[in-house]
Amino acid sequence: MLPLERLVESDRVHRTVYTDQAIFDREMANIWEKAWVYCGHESQLPKTGDYATVQIGRQPMIMVRGTDSKIRVLYNRCPHRGVQLCGSRQGNTGSTFVCSYHAWTFHLDGRVKGIPLSHGYVGTRMSPDNPDCSMKAAPRVDSYRGFVFASLASEGPSLLEFLGDARIAFDDMCDRSPEGEVEIVPVCHRVVQHSNWKFFMENQLDALHPSVTHQSTGIAAGRVERKLREEGRTPPLYYHYLSTFASSFDQWDSVQTVNFPRGHGILKGYMGLRPDDPDTKEYVAAMYRAYGEKKAEEHLGRSIHHVLVYPYLSVQSPLQQLRVLRPLAPNKTLSEIWHFRLKGVSAAIYRRALWYFNLVNSPATMINADDLENWTKGQWGLESDGGEWVSFHRNYGGDTRDNGVTYSNNGTSEVVMRSQFEAWRQYMSDEAP
C-alpha cells in the first residue's frame, strides 16, 4: 500500500482508499469515531425511556430520553460483562436499563442503580461509587433544530463549527414548516450497499450521472407526462420527480454545486416543486401567515436539492428526506433513509414528499437500484488489477475558492470529489479539518 500522503493527489486518488481494510480501520478511528455523527431526531423519543440504537463507527450506542427530558447517547454495553443492554432498534426501556444476563440495572443517564448480590463485590474495585460500574456516555452530545449528534472525541470543534454552512440543510427543512419544526416518520428504509461508503457520498452531488444511470426511468416517466398533456390533463408531480433525471448533459452542467470546508456541499435546485394548485396555494398562505410574505418567500425560494454533511449524511431538505451512512466494511455500507413531516401542513403536502421517499429513495425504486448496481460494479472494478488510480479530472483547474468555499463554473465538475478527498486527507493525517 502507498504511504497515506501519496494516496490522494489533487486530481486523482488511489483505488485502495476504497478497498483496503487497514485504511477502513483508520477511517473508523480518525473520522467516524471523532467527528460529530448524526444519531437521530428528538421526535423519535417523545417519552421518558424511549430509546433508539445507533452505530457510531464501530461503536454500538443508545440514544435515550431521560427522566429530566434530556437526550443522552450512551454506549450499548453493560460494564459488568460487556453484554449489550438494548437488542432492539428502538423501544421504551421504562425507568431503567436492565441487563438480560445478570440483571444489573442502570438509570437512564447511565448511572448504576442496582447490582444483584452486591455484597459479593465488597472489597473489590467494582463498587457502586466507581464510575466503571456505570454505563459509559458519549463525551459530547448536541442538537441543532431537533437533529441530534454525538462525538466520541472529548475535544474538537463544536457541532455548529463542524456543520458550518451545511447547517442550511436543517434550516431549510424546518423553515418550510409554518411551525418551524419537523417530526420524524417512524418508517425507515434500510439498504445495504455492497460498496465503500465514499461511492454514496460522491454520487449525491455528481450531476453528470443522472441522465445516464437513470435514463430508462426518466424517459419512461417523461413519455407518460407528454401523453397526459396531449390528453389535456395535468401530470401529477411525481412524474416530474422521475422525468427530470433524463435531463440533458447541458442542463445538468448548469446545475451548480457549492463545496464547503470539511467536505460538506450543496447541489443547487433543479426541479420545480411548487405547482399552481389549491393545495400549494393553501400551504403558501399558511407560510405567509406564519412568517410574513417576504420571509416566507425566502424560505420557499431557496435553491437547494441536496446538502451533504461529510462523511455520512445526505439531506434533501425541500422534500424532508435524510439518508445517513453506517459503514460496515471496506465493501459494505448500511444506509438509513428517513422521512420527516412538516408540522402544520396538510396531508396533501405531506404526500408529495412521501411520493419522493418511495419513488426515488426507497429500496424498491429503480432509481435506488440503478445507483446500487453502479456502486457495486465500481467496487468490483477497484478491487481488480485493471488500474491503480481513480480519476477526478473533469474541469480540474477551473475551480475558484473564496473564504474556504470552492466553486466551479460547471455543475458537472468533479470538484465535489476533490473537495471531499481534501477533507478525507486531513482527517486521516490527524489534521482535523
PDB file of all heavy atoms in Angstrom, residues 301-318:
ATOM      1  N   GLY A 301     -38.040  29.865  -1.497  1.00  0.00           N
ATOM      2  CA  GLY A 301     -37.304  30.120  -2.724  1.00  0.00           C
ATOM      3  C   GLY A 301     -35.853  29.685  -2.707  1.00  0.00           C
ATOM      4  O   GLY A 301     -35.121  29.936  -3.674  1.00  0.00           O
ATOM      5  N   ARG A 302     -35.388  29.028  -1.637  1.00  0.00           N
ATOM      6  CA  ARG A 302     -34.003  28.580  -1.599  1.00  0.00           C
ATOM      7  C   ARG A 302     -33.727  27.572  -2.723  1.00  0.00           C
ATOM      8  O   ARG A 302     -34.523  26.674  -2.963  1.00  0.00           O
ATOM      9  CB  ARG A 302     -33.681  27.921  -0.255  1.00  0.00           C
ATOM     10  CG  ARG A 302     -33.600  28.885   0.919  1.00  0.00           C
ATOM     11  CD  ARG A 302     -33.091  28.144   2.145  1.00  0.00           C
ATOM     12  NE  ARG A 302     -32.990  29.008   3.316  1.00  0.00           N
ATOM     13  CZ  ARG A 302     -33.684  28.837   4.430  1.00  0.00           C
ATOM     14  NH1 ARG A 302     -34.560  27.848   4.528  1.00  0.00           N
ATOM     15  NH2 ARG A 302     -33.529  29.650   5.449  1.00  0.00           N
ATOM     16  N   SER A 303     -32.588  27.731  -3.376  1.00  0.00           N
ATOM     17  CA  SER A 303     -32.207  26.824  -4.459  1.00  0.00           C
ATOM     18  C   SER A 303     -31.338  25.706  -3.902  1.00  0.00           C
ATOM     19  O   SER A 303     -30.104  25.788  -3.873  1.00  0.00           O
ATOM     20  CB  SER A 303     -31.444  27.589  -5.555  1.00  0.00           C
ATOM     21  OG  SER A 303     -31.046  26.698  -6.586  1.00  0.00           O
ATOM     22  N   ILE A 304     -31.994  24.665  -3.420  1.00  0.00           N
ATOM     23  CA  ILE A 304     -31.296  23.521  -2.816  1.00  0.00           C
ATOM     24  C   ILE A 304     -31.986  22.239  -3.261  1.00  0.00           C
ATOM     25  O   ILE A 304     -33.208  22.161  -3.301  1.00  0.00           O
ATOM     26  CB  ILE A 304     -31.330  23.606  -1.272  1.00  0.00           C
ATOM     27  CG1 ILE A 304     -30.476  24.767  -0.768  1.00  0.00           C
ATOM     28  CG2 ILE A 304     -30.851  22.299  -0.637  1.00  0.00           C
ATOM     29  CD1 ILE A 304     -30.549  24.960   0.737  1.00  0.00           C
ATOM     30  N   HIS A 305     -31.193  21.237  -3.607  1.00  0.00           N
ATOM     31  CA  HIS A 305     -31.752  19.896  -3.774  1.00  0.00           C
ATOM     32  C   HIS A 305     -31.136  18.937  -2.756  1.00  0.00           C
ATOM     33  O   HIS A 305     -31.835  18.268  -2.027  1.00  0.00           O
ATOM     34  CB  HIS A 305     -31.532  19.356  -5.188  1.00  0.00           C
ATOM     35  CG  HIS A 305     -32.207  18.031  -5.397  1.00  0.00           C
ATOM     36  ND1 HIS A 305     -33.575  17.915  -5.438  1.00  0.00           N
ATOM     37  CD2 HIS A 305     -31.719  16.770  -5.516  1.00  0.00           C
ATOM     38  CE1 HIS A 305     -33.911  16.637  -5.604  1.00  0.00           C
ATOM     39  NE2 HIS A 305     -32.795  15.931  -5.647  1.00  0.00           N
ATOM     40  N   HIS A 306     -29.797  18.846  -2.746  1.00  0.00           N
ATOM     41  CA  HIS A 306     -29.081  18.033  -1.763  1.00  0.00           C
ATOM     42  C   HIS A 306     -28.163  18.918  -0.927  1.00  0.00           C
ATOM     43  O   HIS A 306     -27.529  19.823  -1.464  1.00  0.00           O
ATOM     44  CB  HIS A 306     -28.152  17.016  -2.463  1.00  0.00           C
ATOM     45  CG  HIS A 306     -28.765  15.708  -2.777  1.00  0.00           C
ATOM     46  ND1 HIS A 306     -28.829  15.202  -4.052  1.00  0.00           N
ATOM     47  CD2 HIS A 306     -29.335  14.772  -1.989  1.00  0.00           C
ATOM     48  CE1 HIS A 306     -29.404  14.017  -4.039  1.00  0.00           C
ATOM     49  NE2 HIS A 306     -29.716  13.739  -2.795  1.00  0.00           N
ATOM     50  N   VAL A 307     -28.041  18.594   0.331  1.00  0.00           N
ATOM     51  CA  VAL A 307     -26.950  19.108   1.147  1.00  0.00           C
ATOM     52  C   VAL A 307     -26.224  17.907   1.737  1.00  0.00           C
ATOM     53  O   VAL A 307     -26.848  17.020   2.311  1.00  0.00           O
ATOM     54  CB  VAL A 307     -27.442  20.025   2.284  1.00  0.00           C
ATOM     55  CG1 VAL A 307     -26.250  20.561   3.072  1.00  0.00           C
ATOM     56  CG2 VAL A 307     -28.274  21.173   1.743  1.00  0.00           C
ATOM     57  N   LEU A 308     -24.900  17.876   1.566  1.00  0.00           N
ATOM     58  CA  LEU A 308     -24.102  16.812   2.149  1.00  0.00           C
ATOM     59  C   LEU A 308     -23.425  17.299   3.419  1.00  0.00           C
ATOM     60  O   LEU A 308     -22.836  18.385   3.438  1.00  0.00           O
ATOM     61  CB  LEU A 308     -23.004  16.359   1.182  1.00  0.00           C
ATOM     62  CG  LEU A 308     -23.396  15.519  -0.032  1.00  0.00           C
ATOM     63  CD1 LEU A 308     -22.138  14.938  -0.661  1.00  0.00           C
ATOM     64  CD2 LEU A 308     -24.365  14.412   0.321  1.00  0.00           C
ATOM     65  N   VAL A 309     -23.533  16.512   4.477  1.00  0.00           N
ATOM     66  CA  VAL A 309     -22.731  16.707   5.677  1.00  0.00           C
ATOM     67  C   VAL A 309     -21.731  15.551   5.677  1.00  0.00           C
ATOM     68  O   VAL A 309     -22.093  14.397   5.919  1.00  0.00           O
ATOM     69  CB  VAL A 309     -23.595  16.704   6.950  1.00  0.00           C
ATOM     70  CG1 VAL A 309     -22.716  16.821   8.184  1.00  0.00           C
ATOM     71  CG2 VAL A 309     -24.618  17.836   6.906  1.00  0.00           C
ATOM     72  N   TYR A 310     -20.496  15.878   5.340  1.00  0.00           N
ATOM     73  CA  TYR A 310     -19.468  14.851   5.173  1.00  0.00           C
ATOM     74  C   TYR A 310     -19.028  14.328   6.544  1.00  0.00           C
ATOM     75  O   TYR A 310     -18.894  15.114   7.479  1.00  0.00           O
ATOM     76  CB  TYR A 310     -18.267  15.472   4.448  1.00  0.00           C
ATOM     77  CG  TYR A 310     -17.216  14.491   4.009  1.00  0.00           C
ATOM     78  CD1 TYR A 310     -17.384  13.739   2.842  1.00  0.00           C
ATOM     79  CD2 TYR A 310     -16.060  14.304   4.766  1.00  0.00           C
ATOM     80  CE1 TYR A 310     -16.414  12.835   2.440  1.00  0.00           C
ATOM     81  CE2 TYR A 310     -15.085  13.402   4.368  1.00  0.00           C
ATOM     82  CZ  TYR A 310     -15.273  12.663   3.209  1.00  0.00           C
ATOM     83  OH  TYR A 310     -14.318  11.756   2.812  1.00  0.00           O
ATOM     84  N   PRO A 311     -18.872  12.998   6.666  1.00  0.00           N
ATOM     85  CA  PRO A 311     -18.793  11.999   5.604  1.00  0.00           C
ATOM     86  C   PRO A 311     -19.996  11.054   5.520  1.00  0.00           C
ATOM     87  O   PRO A 311     -19.866   9.970   4.957  1.00  0.00           O
ATOM     88  CB  PRO A 311     -17.559  11.214   6.043  1.00  0.00           C
ATOM     89  CG  PRO A 311     -17.703  11.155   7.545  1.00  0.00           C
ATOM     90  CD  PRO A 311     -18.319  12.476   7.947  1.00  0.00           C
ATOM     91  N   TYR A 312     -21.159  11.449   6.057  1.00  0.00           N
ATOM     92  CA  TYR A 312     -22.164  10.394   6.263  1.00  0.00           C
ATOM     93  C   TYR A 312     -23.600  10.787   5.964  1.00  0.00           C
ATOM     94  O   TYR A 312     -24.488   9.942   6.040  1.00  0.00           O
ATOM     95  CB  TYR A 312     -22.124   9.929   7.730  1.00  0.00           C
ATOM     96  CG  TYR A 312     -22.219  11.080   8.697  1.00  0.00           C
ATOM     97  CD1 TYR A 312     -23.434  11.672   8.991  1.00  0.00           C
ATOM     98  CD2 TYR A 312     -21.088  11.609   9.300  1.00  0.00           C
ATOM     99  CE1 TYR A 312     -23.531  12.751   9.853  1.00  0.00           C
ATOM    100  CE2 TYR A 312     -21.159  12.677  10.162  1.00  0.00           C
ATOM    101  CZ  TYR A 312     -22.386  13.253  10.434  1.00  0.00           C
ATOM    102  OH  TYR A 312     -22.466  14.316  11.271  1.00  0.00           O
ATOM    103  N   LEU A 313     -23.887  12.044   5.652  1.00  0.00           N
ATOM    104  CA  LEU A 313     -25.272  12.494   5.635  1.00  0.00           C
ATOM    105  C   LEU A 313     -25.617  13.175   4.324  1.00  0.00           C
ATOM    106  O   LEU A 313     -24.877  14.025   3.840  1.00  0.00           O
ATOM    107  CB  LEU A 313     -25.489  13.475   6.790  1.00  0.00           C
ATOM    108  CG  LEU A 313     -26.905  13.664   7.329  1.00  0.00           C
ATOM    109  CD1 LEU A 313     -27.451  12.360   7.859  1.00  0.00           C
ATOM    110  CD2 LEU A 313     -26.894  14.713   8.445  1.00  0.00           C
ATOM    111  N   SER A 314     -26.748  12.768   3.740  1.00  0.00           N
ATOM    112  CA  SER A 314     -27.306  13.427   2.558  1.00  0.00           C
ATOM    113  C   SER A 314     -28.711  13.886   2.919  1.00  0.00           C
ATOM    114  O   SER A 314     -29.577  13.066   3.255  1.00  0.00           O
ATOM    115  CB  SER A 314     -27.366  12.457   1.372  1.00  0.00           C
ATOM    116  OG  SER A 314     -28.119  13.011   0.306  1.00  0.00           O
ATOM    117  N   VAL A 315     -28.933  15.198   2.875  1.00  0.00           N
ATOM    118  CA  VAL A 315     -30.222  15.779   3.269  1.00  0.00           C
ATOM    119  C   VAL A 315     -30.866  16.411   2.039  1.00  0.00           C
ATOM    120  O   VAL A 315     -30.281  17.299   1.412  1.00  0.00           O
ATOM    121  CB  VAL A 315     -30.048  16.835   4.372  1.00  0.00           C
ATOM    122  CG1 VAL A 315     -31.416  17.334   4.840  1.00  0.00           C
ATOM    123  CG2 VAL A 315     -29.250  16.270   5.541  1.00  0.00           C
ATOM    124  N   GLN A 316     -32.052  15.947   1.690  1.00  0.00           N
ATOM    125  CA  GLN A 316     -32.847  16.576   0.632  1.00  0.00           C
ATOM    126  C   GLN A 316     -33.916  17.406   1.340  1.00  0.00           C
ATOM    127  O   GLN A 316     -35.054  16.980   1.515  1.00  0.00           O
ATOM    128  CB  GLN A 316     -33.436  15.518  -0.293  1.00  0.00           C
ATOM    129  CG  GLN A 316     -32.370  14.849  -1.161  1.00  0.00           C
ATOM    130  CD  GLN A 316     -32.936  13.723  -1.994  1.00  0.00           C
ATOM    131  OE1 GLN A 316     -33.211  12.644  -1.481  1.00  0.00           O
ATOM    132  NE2 GLN A 316     -33.105  13.962  -3.273  1.00  0.00           N
ATOM    133  N   SER A 317     -33.515  18.601   1.720  1.00  0.00           N
ATOM    134  CA  SER A 317     -34.340  19.404   2.617  1.00  0.00           C
ATOM    135  C   SER A 317     -35.672  19.844   2.020  1.00  0.00           C
ATOM    136  O   SER A 317     -36.677  19.889   2.752  1.00  0.00           O
ATOM    137  CB  SER A 317     -33.552  20.617   3.103  1.00  0.00           C
ATOM    138  OG  SER A 317     -32.952  21.324   2.032  1.00  0.00           O
ATOM    139  N   PRO A 318     -35.788  20.175   0.712  1.00  0.00           N
ATOM    140  CA  PRO A 318     -37.103  20.592   0.211  1.00  0.00           C
ATOM    141  C   PRO A 318     -38.137  19.467   0.214  1.00  0.00           C
ATOM    142  O   PRO A 318     -39.331  19.725   0.103  1.00  0.00           O
ATOM    143  CB  PRO A 318     -36.803  21.041  -1.225  1.00  0.00           C
ATOM    144  CG  PRO A 318     -35.343  21.264  -1.282  1.00  0.00           C
ATOM    145  CD  PRO A 318     -34.758  20.297  -0.317  1.00  0.00           C
TER     146      PRO A 318
END
